[in-house]
Amino acid sequence: MGAHVIVLGNEKGGSGKSTTAFHLAVYLLSEGFRVATIDADSRQQTLTAYIRNRRAWAKEKALSVLHPTHFHLPQSRGDSVSKNKMMEFEMLRQAVTEVENDIDFLVIDTPGFDTHLTRLAHSLADTLITPLNDSLIDLDVIARLNPDTAEIIELSHYTRLVQRARKERLAIDGRSIDWVLVRNRLSTLSSRNMRLVQAGVENISARLGCRIADGIAERVIFRSLFPIGMTVFDSLDEDWLGGIPTMSFVSARQEYRRLVDALALPHDSQSGGGRRASLSATGGQLEHHLA
């Protein structure tokens, strides 16, 4: 029991949460781990669409590809807020209970806005990944910065959400959440904005106790991979990809491998064994605290 939980979180759309979630899931599968995925974004459902595309492409091309066990959690839309929260928690609990004894990693993709499911997912995280486009606009999701010095003026709503999740998690089972800010779409040109972003990220890391990792550049290859549900960790075979692999594909794979190394995920198949109670039991305690 005790699968390692990876949560992708950010209250800004277009940062690469779903793409990163799916690539991590496929990478872990390719390394021989047992993986389940949960899509908690009932509005966009990008991760679910990615997996659906993969299944359809594999069937059409008669390909033998790896698939995670996948769950999609729709948002409850009843008139009672308390009943909606109870229903959403029960959906999450059932999904976790179904797989927690049979997987090594659970990857959860969350929406770009605050929901009850978002808070529950964050509190379950062992590793929290927040992808950020490399700009001051995206850093504003974490903290409001002085535009001249990049010093922190005020923490954001999302950061306070994460701080609460870390506090609740520590109170429940004494474990900390490893929060990693992943800088995507890094600029190759030096500029004042680039220097301010770098200083801002470093100030945020020091203030909040989170880590920083370089992520993925803007690449057209991801727009080509999504419709067929493939990733840079899949085979380079032309039949799998639907075309001849490009240098962009190879470079993207190298970037993702460096990101995975920076995450420092557990390498043994008993990543959580003996370290805490089951996820469903921990989730029940978190539901009590977050009520």
Side-chain angles (χ1 to χ4, degrees):
M1 289 192 299
H4 190 91
V5 180
I6 303 171
V7 173
L8 281 293
N10 186 333
E11 287 193 347
K12 186 178 185 302
S15 62
K17 292 193 301 293
S18 300
T19 300
T20 302
F22 193 58
H23 273 74
L24 286 175
V26 173
Y27 168 79
L28 292 167
L29 285 168
S30 70
E31 291 293 301
F33 293 104
R34 302 164 299 172
V35 181
T37 51
I38 293 178
D39 189 349
D41 188 349
S42 61
R43 183 181 301 174
Q44 297 296 331
Q45 302 181 35
T46 306
L47 179 58
T48 299
Y50 216 140
I51 290 175
R52 186 187 304 120
N53 294 345
R54 183 179 183 83
R55 290 171 178 167
W57 182 257
K59 182 178 180 180
E60 177 184 340
K61 298 295 183 179
L63 302 176
S64 177
V65 296
L66 299 169
H67 299 278
T69 301
H70 182 67
F71 301 90
H72 169 242
L73 306 181
Q75 186 176 3
S76 298
R77 302 185 183 278
D79 295 331
S80 170
V81 174
S82 60
K83 288 184 178 179
N84 288 341
K85 289 183 176 181
M86 289 176 61
M87 290 176 63
E88 289 171 355
F89 167 72
E90 184 59 23
M91 286 189 295
L92 177 61
R93 189 195 66 79
Q94 288 180 1
V96 169
T97 300
E98 184 173 331
V99 298
E100 68 173 322
N101 293 325
D102 302 315
I103 60 172
D104 304 305
F105 289 92
L106 175 62
V107 181
I108 305 178
D109 189 24
T110 62
F113 50 93
D114 187 5
T115 69
H116 188 56
L117 277 175
T118 296
R119 296 185 178 211
L120 283 172
H122 278 65
S123 296
L124 284 176
D126 293 304
T127 300
L128 171 60
I129 301 171
T130 299
L132 295 166
N133 295 329
D134 212 47
S135 73
L136 291 175
I137 294 175
D138 279 62
L139 284 187
D140 198 60
V141 174
I142 307 299
R144 188 159 64 93
L145 303 176
N146 183 304
D148 294 319
T149 65
E151 294 179 350
I152 296 175
I153 299 173
E154 181 183 17
L155 298 180
S156 70
H157 172 270
Y158 178 71
T159 294
R160 292 193 295 272
L161 182 154
V162 174
Q163 287 180 315
R164 183 183 179 189
R166 290 175 120 180
K167 181 179 179 180
E168 297 290 353
R169 179 62 181 278
L170 190 64
I172 292 297
D173 62 7
R175 293 173 58 80
S176 61
I177 297 174
D178 183 20
W179 188 12
V180 185
L181 304 181
V182 176
R183 298 173 62 190
N184 285 335
R185 301 179 175 92
L186 294 172
S187 173
T188 57
L189 300 176
S190 179
S191 65
R192 179 176 180 275
N193 179 77
M194 180 180 176
R195 292 190 294 273
L196 281 173
V197 169
Q198 177 66 35
V201 170
E202 291 175 354
N203 289 339
I204 288 170
S205 175
R207 169 81 173 270
L208 302 178
C210 53
R211 299 193 293 120
I212 306 168
D214 288 346
I216 313 304
E218 179 71 58
R219 297 188 185 279
V220 176
I221 184 65
F222 294 116
R223 299 172 194 162
S224 303
L225 291 173
F226 174 77
I228 61 175
M230 302 300 284
T231 74
V232 299
F233 291 119
D234 287 304
S235 171
L236 288 172
D237 188 276
E238 181 177 347
D239 292 335
W240 284 43
L241 295 174
I244 299 174
T246 64
M247 283 306 299
S248 177
F249 183 98
V250 176
S251 297
R253 174 184 280 187
Q254 293 172 340
E255 288 174 344
Y256 260 115
R257 287 196 181 280
R258 288 195 291 269
L259 172 57
V260 170
D261 289 342
L263 294 177
L265 299 173
H267 294 293
D268 60 283
S269 61
Q270 301 297 323
S271 57
R275 297 194 305 178
R276 68 170 178 197
S278 68
L279 289 175
S280 54
T282 301
Q285 297 176 69
L286 288 168
E287 171 70 5
H288 173 73
H289 277 254
L290 293 173

